[in-house]
Amino acid sequence: QVQLVESGGGLVQAGGSLRLSCPASGRTFSSYDMGWFRQAPGKEREFVAVINWSGGMTYYADSVKGRFTISRDNAKSTVYLQMNSLKPEDTAVYYCNGVLPGLRPMDDWGKGTLVTVSS
């Protein structure tokens, strides 16, 4: 069973920054593409960013491109999301997960970490 423990969320003013972390266990971390997803109040969960197994390739949703940076440390089985120039519309619960072809998340989910951006 995979365990994903997201952390680093909080309350920040618009224009501010946060760094999310997600250590993963129960799976061969370095074998999988990893990503971040988010769910805003009243909306469906959406894709944010993905990084391939080696860390050499990344891809972002248009809404965060140029502001967010995904990275990973395979030695620590951890994926990160650096979020800069935050906007109120970035307010959501953020989740990490393995990513399948087509940017589909794997089945297991952690509890997520809440990011609230005030205007």
Side-chain angles (χ1 to χ4, degrees), residues 22-66:
C22 179
S25 61
R27 168 189 297 156
T28 307
F29 180 84
S30 59
S31 299
Y32 294 87
D33 297 350
M34 291 294 296
W36 287 92
F37 300 80
R38 67 186 182 186
Q39 186 167 18
K43 296 187 177 181
E44 293 189 352
R45 189 149 41 196
E46 65 176 1
F47 164 80
V48 174
V50 62
I51 187 166
N52 79 325
W53 64 273
S54 70
M57 292 174 51
T58 59
Y59 179 76
Y60 299 90
D62 287 344
S63 58
V64 306
K65 199 173 296 180

Side-chain angles (χ1 to χ4, degrees), residues 47-98:
F47 164 80
V48 174
V50 62
I51 187 166
N52 79 325
W53 64 273
S54 70
M57 292 174 51
T58 59
Y59 179 76
Y60 299 90
D62 287 344
S63 58
V64 306
K65 199 173 296 180
R67 300 188 297 121
F68 291 10
T69 302
I70 188 171
S71 61
R72 68 190 294 163
D73 185 337
N74 285 345
K76 296 181 178 180
S77 296
T78 300
V79 62
Y80 305 95
L81 187 68
Q82 177 67 44
M83 305 186 296
N84 298 329
S85 302
L86 282 161
K87 304 175 180 180
E89 51 264 43
D90 294 319
T91 294
V93 178
Y94 284 72
Y95 303 87
C96 70
N97 208 338

